[in-house]
Amino acid sequence: MDHKNNTQQVVTRFAPSPTGFMHIGGVRTALFAYLLAKKEGGTFILRIEDTDKNREVEGSIKHIQESLKWLGLDWDYGPDNPGEFDSCLQSDRLDTYKKYAEKLIAKGLAYPDPYTKEELEAFREQAQKDNRPFLYRQHRPDNPGEWDGTQPLRFKVPEIKRYEWTDLVRGKLSAGEEMLDDIIIIKADGYPTYNFAHIIDDFEMGVTHVMRGEEFISSTPKFLSLYDALEIEYPLFVTLPPIMGPDGKKKLSKRDGAKDLLEYRSDGYLPEAMRNFLALIGWNPGGNDEIFRDKELIEKFSLDKIQKSGGAFNEEKLKWMNKEYLKTLSPEEKATYVSSVTPSTFKLSGEFADQRVNSLHDLALERASNFNEIKGAIEAGEYDWLNTDIQYTTDLLQWKNDDDVTAALPRLQQALNLLEAADFSSPDTIKEALWPFAEEVGKGELLWPLRVALSGRQQSPDPFTLAYILGREMTISRVKQACDKIGE
Ligand code: GLU
């Protein structure tokens, strides 16, 4: 058999098993399959491989769909819209697998497994004792009889040979005899195995590019022997590089912070950022650009830029990327984002209240890249200056070059005069009112005590931003409070 040629309309698929968790590796596979289909004007299919009823977790199918939708990977055909296929759920397609199984029986290439569990176990134990791999074909029964649908149906692998095939990422691959066996194609419960079902579905759905992880390479000879027996053309194989932990050495694990995709949503990662970040794990279009928005990712995507070797999952990079995307949100979107974590903290009233709140949102997003970081900053007291009362000791007002805190008093008094006459419509107008005086007396000499007067903290945003967000009234009252403290 030959591989499909490259001139057909591209059809890709993501074929998860509904086992409950949308791990990053699976999501990245879905993304690449989606990007290739969209780039080539082709079709992207979501197929649910639910043939192992013992591993199925309730709610998974919904979870998978919600995850892909959130990431913006809309499928052309899927469980909710199978289109011309009768279903995109393997459990609905048992008759189809049976039809293909019967074809193999008719060709003398499938037979029922007559052994009991105990007999099989004994064969396995013997192989272990003899220090050789267990191969069912060495126990192929002479007279298996007719398949009545209740026994497992096995493939009678016709030829034990070495297979060679081409992988569009890895190049020429080969594997052989040791992988070929009389594998089960239909289980005793009537469901097909993955090995069998995915081949039939990929064929019937016209899948041109089978994109998946490297764990399937070693099984490929099995698949190829089945394609041959079924007289089905091989699809194009695209093996995606593994996702490594941040050190690039070990495979990504939960310990490296790998979470279910939707947990990233609840942590405040934007789907565009997540998509951009995942696309760059194991793919790189070259050049220094790393931000590819919307359609750009699709336009840039190409198979020849998929790497062979593993790509690192670096959470710091994800944070950086999320920040880049957060910056581009509209004021309304920023408000929705920030206020989902700060329902009661970031409330302001008075003149320019709406603009001041926007400025507060900008400030929060300059300093944090996700919900947890905003929450953490609030818990660490970084926004306590928004409270009506602030507490600090008078000596904090002392600038490091001054001998005594009283040196700050005349400067704060003059600042008070300037602030009373200042235009409070933006941090810049406030700065304009104070700047000539700061240059006259020394920047640290004025700005340090002023900033402490407004925030009560060693570290905080600059005094102009603080004054703007706090508003004229609060600013003036805080500077007065500082003057009173020094005077006491
Ligand atoms: N159901 C398989 C899995 O979740 C799909 C593998 C494939 O893409 O062929 O691992």
Side-chain angles (χ1 to χ4, degrees), residues 13-19 23 29 47-49 55 90 194 198 202 210-213 215-216 223:
R13 49 50 164 196
F14 175 50
S17 305
T19 51
H23 57 83
T29 300
R47 181 175 76 223
I48 304 293
E49 302 209 316
R55 286 178 60 223
Q90 286 188 328
Y194 161 73
H198 88 275
D202 285 343
V210 167
M211 301 171 89
R212 60 188 163 200
E215 62 275 26
F216 293 95
F223 307 151

